[in-house]
Amino acid sequence: QVQLVESGGGLVQAGGSLRLSCAASVSIFSINSMGWYRQAPGKQRELVAAITSGDITNYVDSVKGRFTVSRDNAKNTVYLQMSSLRPEDTAVYYCSADKVVVPSGSIYRYWGQGTQVTVAS
């Protein structure tokens, strides 16, 4: 079982910055991949950024060059640094953790509760 707690959301003006944090209840060494998703009203949840246990990162095209995902293994925390924010970045942001289930070897995805990010124009 993995519990994820997000923080750092809020209201910001366009062009501003926010840093989201996701604290895991277990060592993130044991987690294959952690990601940040977002869901805007009326839209499907989409992957924003992800980072693997080997520090390989990937981003959705719309945030490349503006968002950075990172991890602090000592704090069991993953971050999403968001800069040059745009109104279209407004959404609930969710943290996810993909962990191997023993002994089946399948992957189970855990979710945080979400944090609201609102970018005012």
Side-chain angles (χ1 to χ4, degrees), residues 82-99:
M82 305 186 293
S83 303
S84 301
L85 282 161
R86 305 167 181 168
E88 54 264 39
D89 294 318
T90 295
V92 178
Y93 283 70
Y94 297 91
C95 178
S96 70
D98 291 349
K99 196 172 187 305

mmCIF file of all heavy atoms in Angstrom, residues 82-99:
data_model
loop_
_atom_site.group_PDB
_atom_site.id
_atom_site.type_symbol
_atom_site.label_atom_id
_atom_site.label_comp_id
_atom_site.label_asym_id
_atom_site.label_seq_id
_atom_site.Cartn_x
_atom_site.Cartn_y
_atom_site.Cartn_z
ATOM 1 N N MET A 82 6.631 24.192 -11.787
ATOM 2 C CA MET A 82 5.869 24.725 -12.925
ATOM 3 C C MET A 82 6.179 26.216 -13.079
ATOM 4 O O MET A 82 6.015 26.980 -12.116
ATOM 5 C CB MET A 82 4.372 24.521 -12.696
ATOM 6 C CG MET A 82 3.996 23.073 -12.406
ATOM 7 S SD MET A 82 2.213 22.819 -12.296
ATOM 8 C CE MET A 82 1.846 23.759 -10.812
ATOM 9 N N SER A 83 6.622 26.586 -14.251
ATOM 10 C CA SER A 83 6.957 27.978 -14.525
ATOM 11 C C SER A 83 6.210 28.434 -15.776
ATOM 12 O O SER A 83 5.702 27.615 -16.534
ATOM 13 C CB SER A 83 8.469 28.130 -14.731
ATOM 14 O OG SER A 83 9.188 27.668 -13.608
ATOM 15 N N SER A 84 6.202 29.752 -15.972
ATOM 16 C CA SER A 84 5.515 30.332 -17.136
ATOM 17 C C SER A 84 4.106 29.753 -17.271
ATOM 18 O O SER A 84 3.683 29.336 -18.352
ATOM 19 C CB SER A 84 6.312 30.068 -18.411
ATOM 20 O OG SER A 84 7.604 30.619 -18.319
ATOM 21 N N LEU A 85 3.405 29.731 -16.169
ATOM 22 C CA LEU A 85 2.079 29.109 -16.150
ATOM 23 C C LEU A 85 1.091 29.871 -17.028
ATOM 24 O O LEU A 85 1.158 31.101 -17.146
ATOM 25 C CB LEU A 85 1.565 29.018 -14.714
ATOM 26 C CG LEU A 85 2.192 27.874 -13.910
ATOM 27 C CD1 LEU A 85 2.019 28.100 -12.421
ATOM 28 C CD2 LEU A 85 1.574 26.542 -14.322
ATOM 29 N N ARG A 86 0.195 29.099 -17.606
ATOM 30 C CA ARG A 86 -0.815 29.625 -18.515
ATOM 31 C C ARG A 86 -2.209 29.273 -17.994
ATOM 32 O O ARG A 86 -2.356 28.278 -17.273
ATOM 33 C CB ARG A 86 -0.638 29.009 -19.904
ATOM 34 C CG ARG A 86 0.744 29.175 -20.503
ATOM 35 C CD ARG A 86 0.925 28.281 -21.714
ATOM 36 N NE ARG A 86 2.252 28.406 -22.308
ATOM 37 C CZ ARG A 86 2.737 27.580 -23.222
ATOM 38 N NH1 ARG A 86 1.993 26.559 -23.665
ATOM 39 N NH2 ARG A 86 3.945 27.778 -23.720
ATOM 40 N N PRO A 87 -3.212 30.038 -18.370
ATOM 41 C CA PRO A 87 -4.569 29.686 -17.923
ATOM 42 C C PRO A 87 -4.961 28.260 -18.289
ATOM 43 O O PRO A 87 -5.686 27.602 -17.520
ATOM 44 C CB PRO A 87 -5.435 30.721 -18.648
ATOM 45 C CG PRO A 87 -4.540 31.911 -18.797
ATOM 46 C CD PRO A 87 -3.168 31.345 -19.063
ATOM 47 N N GLU A 88 -4.468 27.767 -19.399
ATOM 48 C CA GLU A 88 -4.824 26.407 -19.809
ATOM 49 C C GLU A 88 -4.146 25.331 -18.950
ATOM 50 O O GLU A 88 -4.453 24.143 -19.093
ATOM 51 C CB GLU A 88 -4.490 26.164 -21.289
ATOM 52 C CG GLU A 88 -3.062 26.468 -21.687
ATOM 53 C CD GLU A 88 -2.907 27.868 -22.276
ATOM 54 O OE1 GLU A 88 -3.563 28.810 -21.774
ATOM 55 O OE2 GLU A 88 -2.102 28.015 -23.230
ATOM 56 N N ASP A 89 -3.258 25.725 -18.056
ATOM 57 C CA ASP A 89 -2.674 24.774 -17.101
ATOM 58 C C ASP A 89 -3.598 24.558 -15.899
ATOM 59 O O ASP A 89 -3.315 23.704 -15.049
ATOM 60 C CB ASP A 89 -1.318 25.279 -16.596
ATOM 61 C CG ASP A 89 -0.269 25.332 -17.690
ATOM 62 O OD1 ASP A 89 -0.202 24.385 -18.500
ATOM 63 O OD2 ASP A 89 0.497 26.327 -17.734
ATOM 64 N N THR A 90 -4.668 25.321 -15.825
ATOM 65 C CA THR A 90 -5.609 25.189 -14.720
ATOM 66 C C THR A 90 -6.223 23.795 -14.717
ATOM 67 O O THR A 90 -6.759 23.338 -15.725
ATOM 68 C CB THR A 90 -6.722 26.245 -14.834
ATOM 69 O OG1 THR A 90 -6.141 27.542 -14.682
ATOM 70 C CG2 THR A 90 -7.782 26.024 -13.768
ATOM 71 N N ALA A 91 -6.114 23.120 -13.575
ATOM 72 C CA ALA A 91 -6.614 21.749 -13.453
ATOM 73 C C ALA A 91 -6.380 21.267 -12.029
ATOM 74 O O ALA A 91 -5.678 21.928 -11.248
ATOM 75 C CB ALA A 91 -5.898 20.822 -14.427
ATOM 76 N N VAL A 92 -6.940 20.118 -11.728
ATOM 77 C CA VAL A 92 -6.555 19.396 -10.524
ATOM 78 C C VAL A 92 -5.373 18.508 -10.906
ATOM 79 O O VAL A 92 -5.445 17.764 -11.889
ATOM 80 C CB VAL A 92 -7.704 18.540 -9.964
ATOM 81 C CG1 VAL A 92 -7.228 17.758 -8.739
ATOM 82 C CG2 VAL A 92 -8.897 19.422 -9.614
ATOM 83 N N TYR A 93 -4.304 18.624 -10.156
ATOM 84 C CA TYR A 93 -3.089 17.868 -10.431
ATOM 85 C C TYR A 93 -3.000 16.691 -9.453
ATOM 86 O O TYR A 93 -3.142 16.866 -8.237
ATOM 87 C CB TYR A 93 -1.863 18.756 -10.299
ATOM 88 C CG TYR A 93 -1.680 19.665 -11.503
ATOM 89 C CD1 TYR A 93 -2.565 20.712 -11.729
ATOM 90 C CD2 TYR A 93 -0.648 19.458 -12.412
ATOM 91 C CE1 TYR A 93 -2.429 21.534 -12.846
ATOM 92 C CE2 TYR A 93 -0.493 20.277 -13.528
ATOM 93 C CZ TYR A 93 -1.391 21.307 -13.730
ATOM 94 O OH TYR A 93 -1.256 22.123 -14.843
ATOM 95 N N TYR A 94 -2.773 15.510 -10.016
ATOM 96 C CA TYR A 94 -2.707 14.283 -9.234
ATOM 97 C C TYR A 94 -1.313 13.669 -9.339
ATOM 98 O O TYR A 94 -0.720 13.611 -10.427
ATOM 99 C CB TYR A 94 -3.717 13.263 -9.744
ATOM 100 C CG TYR A 94 -5.152 13.684 -9.633
ATOM 101 C CD1 TYR A 94 -5.789 14.361 -10.665
ATOM 102 C CD2 TYR A 94 -5.890 13.388 -8.490
ATOM 103 C CE1 TYR A 94 -7.116 14.747 -10.564
ATOM 104 C CE2 TYR A 94 -7.215 13.767 -8.380
ATOM 105 C CZ TYR A 94 -7.815 14.446 -9.416
ATOM 106 O OH TYR A 94 -9.134 14.820 -9.305
ATOM 107 N N CYS A 95 -0.847 13.178 -8.229
ATOM 108 C CA CYS A 95 0.395 12.421 -8.189
ATOM 109 C C CYS A 95 0.070 10.935 -8.331
ATOM 110 O O CYS A 95 -0.954 10.463 -7.815
ATOM 111 C CB CYS A 95 1.092 12.676 -6.859
ATOM 112 S SG CYS A 95 2.616 11.761 -6.608
ATOM 113 N N SER A 96 0.925 10.206 -9.035
ATOM 114 C CA SER A 96 0.725 8.765 -9.187
ATOM 115 C C SER A 96 2.022 8.032 -8.894
ATOM 116 O O SER A 96 3.109 8.595 -9.032
ATOM 117 C CB SER A 96 0.269 8.430 -10.606
ATOM 118 O OG SER A 96 1.324 8.625 -11.531
ATOM 119 N N ALA A 97 1.875 6.774 -8.489
ATOM 120 C CA ALA A 97 3.037 5.930 -8.233
ATOM 121 C C ALA A 97 2.745 4.538 -8.779
ATOM 122 O O ALA A 97 1.728 3.934 -8.419
ATOM 123 C CB ALA A 97 3.335 5.861 -6.740
ATOM 124 N N ASP A 98 3.610 4.054 -9.651
ATOM 125 C CA ASP A 98 3.485 2.722 -10.230
ATOM 126 C C ASP A 98 4.429 1.780 -9.497
ATOM 127 O O ASP A 98 5.646 1.974 -9.529
ATOM 128 C CB ASP A 98 3.833 2.744 -11.721
ATOM 129 C CG ASP A 98 2.810 3.489 -12.544
ATOM 130 O OD1 ASP A 98 1.731 3.806 -12.011
ATOM 131 O OD2 ASP A 98 3.095 3.761 -13.726
ATOM 132 N N LYS A 99 3.839 0.755 -8.875
ATOM 133 C CA LYS A 99 4.640 -0.159 -8.050
ATOM 134 C C LYS A 99 4.369 -1.598 -8.465
ATOM 135 O O LYS A 99 3.218 -1.954 -8.739
ATOM 136 C CB LYS A 99 4.287 0.043 -6.576
ATOM 137 C CG LYS A 99 5.284 -0.550 -5.586
ATOM 138 C CD LYS A 99 4.942 -0.136 -4.188
ATOM 139 C CE LYS A 99 5.996 -0.566 -3.190
ATOM 140 N NZ LYS A 99 6.299 -2.001 -3.210
#
